[in-house]
């Protein structure tokens, strides 16, 4: 069965420090992979996506993610975190379900940023 | 600016009530989705629709139904609300075969 695992429920970093959020997926075919961010009281906003090609993808707000097929991972990174990055982050995999596409989400990682 | 609008941000209903959650999109998207978001569980798909009057069950459809009479509107119905349906409900839409979903801001439903 398809699934997405985000091993870290909560992460706290200091402002200016680097960040890596982990994501592992389980899907038999070539995966379409996504990272979304949810600020408090808001819906989800797409940060970046991977469909094919270069395994390092750039997104909005200075985020990037690297697809590693051998590790079934799609980790999100940012070199220097800003206080405004405090939010919840969701990794997702796009799957084909009976000819329809749908997204399967991980449980999320809540990021806190210390000044 | 493209939008997915959910009619209520906060809703409080009593056990046994019939509850309607409304979602409207102005992007002419074919696909619309209802997700439920709970702490530690992420987003779980309840129902989705790929066309008017068409619906498909997601991963947790029990206790819910949906209606899509017009392309822009997708309603989630709780036939008889129960306390275990207290949650955040998120609506999303996308073009056909597009994984780039646009989400609404969510409706936080409390059933007492």
């Amino acid at each position: 069965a398809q699934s997405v695992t985000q091993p870290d429920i909560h992460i706290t970093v200091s402002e200016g420090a680097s960040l890596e959020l982990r994501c592992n997926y389980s899907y038999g075919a070539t995966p379409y992979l996504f990272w979304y961010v949810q600020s408090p009281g808001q819906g989800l906003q797409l940060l970046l996506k991977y469909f094919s090609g270069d395994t390092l993808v750039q997104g909005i707000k200075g985020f990037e993610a690297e697809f590693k097929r051998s590790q079934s991972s799609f980790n999100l990174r940012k070199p220097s975190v800003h206080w405004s990055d405090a939010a919840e982050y969701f990794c997702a995999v796009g799957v084909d379900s009976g000819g329809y596409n749908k997204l399967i989400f991980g449980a999320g990682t809540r990021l806190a940023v210390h000044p | 600016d493209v939008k997915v609008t959910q009619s209520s941000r906060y809703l409080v209903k009593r056990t046994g009530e019939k509850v309607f959650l409304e979602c409207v999109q102005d992007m002419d998207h074919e696909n619309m989705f209802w997700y439920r978001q709970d702490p530690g569980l992420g987003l779980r798909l309840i129902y989705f629709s790929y066309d008017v009057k068409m619906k498909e069950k997601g991963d947790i459809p029990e206790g819910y139904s949906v209606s899509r009479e017009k392309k822009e509107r997708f309603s989630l119905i709780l036939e008889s609300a129960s306390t275990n349906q207290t949650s955040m409900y998120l609506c999303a839409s996308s073009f056909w075969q597009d994984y780039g979903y646009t989400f609404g801001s969510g409706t936080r439903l409390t059933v007492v």
Side-chain angles (χ1 to χ4, degrees):
Chain A
Q2 309 99 340
S3 65
V4 176
T5 301
Q6 295 179 245
D8 305 303
I9 298 173
H10 295 279
I11 284 185
T12 301
V13 300
S14 297
E15 191 169 17
S18 63
L19 172 70
E20 182 169 30
L21 302 183
R22 296 183 291 163
C23 172
N24 293 95
Y25 68 89
S26 172
Y27 185 50
T30 300
Y32 298 150
L33 296 163
F34 306 80
W35 276 99
Y36 283 83
V37 61
Q38 184 181 35
S39 299
Q42 301 298 313
L44 275 70
Q45 180 184 19
L46 181 66
L47 278 177
L48 48 79
K49 58 188 177 183
Y50 170 79
F51 281 8
S52 64
D54 192 349
T55 57
L56 184 64
V57 294
Q58 303 297 321
I60 62 172
K61 305 186 180 190
F63 285 92
E64 67 178 25
E66 186 171 12
F67 170 56
K68 293 185 177 180
R69 184 185 298 276
S70 62
Q71 298 177 19
S72 298
S73 69
F74 188 57
N75 294 349
L76 182 71
R77 300 194 294 248
K78 188 170 184 178
S80 178
V81 170
H82 188 262
W83 63 266
S84 60
D85 293 324
E88 190 155 21
Y89 292 80
F90 292 94
C91 181
V93 62
V95 303
D96 185 315
S97 176
Y100 304 114
N101 68 47
K102 63 178 184 178
L103 287 178
I104 295 176
F105 287 85
T109 297
R110 186 170 297 277
L111 173 67
V113 180
H114 279 178
Chain B
D1 195 15
V2 295
K3 277 189 177 176
V4 176
T5 302
Q6 294 184 232
S7 54
S8 304
R9 290 298 301 271
Y10 300 94
L11 215 51
V12 180
K13 295 292 182 181
R14 295 192 180 278
T15 300
E17 275 193 80
K18 189 169 186 176
V19 181
F20 293 85
L21 303 184
E22 306 288 345
C23 176
V24 177
Q25 51 97 359
D26 64 0
M27 297 164 283
D28 203 32
H29 284 169
E30 292 86 6
N31 308 334
M32 296 189 75
F33 307 85
W34 275 107
Y35 284 87
R36 170 176 171 162
Q37 182 181 6
D38 299 289
L41 297 177
L43 279 73
R44 294 177 291 167
L45 183 62
I46 304 172
Y47 267 97
F48 57 101
S49 168
Y50 287 90
D51 201 353
V52 176
K53 296 190 185 297
M54 176 275 185
K55 60 185 178 184
E56 291 285 337
K57 292 181 179 179
D59 300 315
I60 52 165
E62 297 78 18
Y64 303 94
S65 63
V66 289
S67 172
R68 193 167 180 199
E69 296 296 319
K70 294 184 177 181
K71 189 175 185 179
E72 67 270 19
R73 186 182 296 271
F74 192 36
S75 303
L76 180 69
I77 304 160
L78 287 65
E79 296 288 344
S80 178
S82 63
T83 54
N84 62 13
Q85 293 178 309
T86 292
S87 186
M88 169 72 88
Y89 291 87
L90 290 168
C91 176
S93 69
S94 74
F95 286 115
W96 174 249
Q97 296 295 346
D98 184 2
Y99 289 102
Y101 292 11
T102 300
F103 280 86
S105 297
T107 296
R108 185 167 295 282
L109 172 67
T110 302
V111 182
V112 298

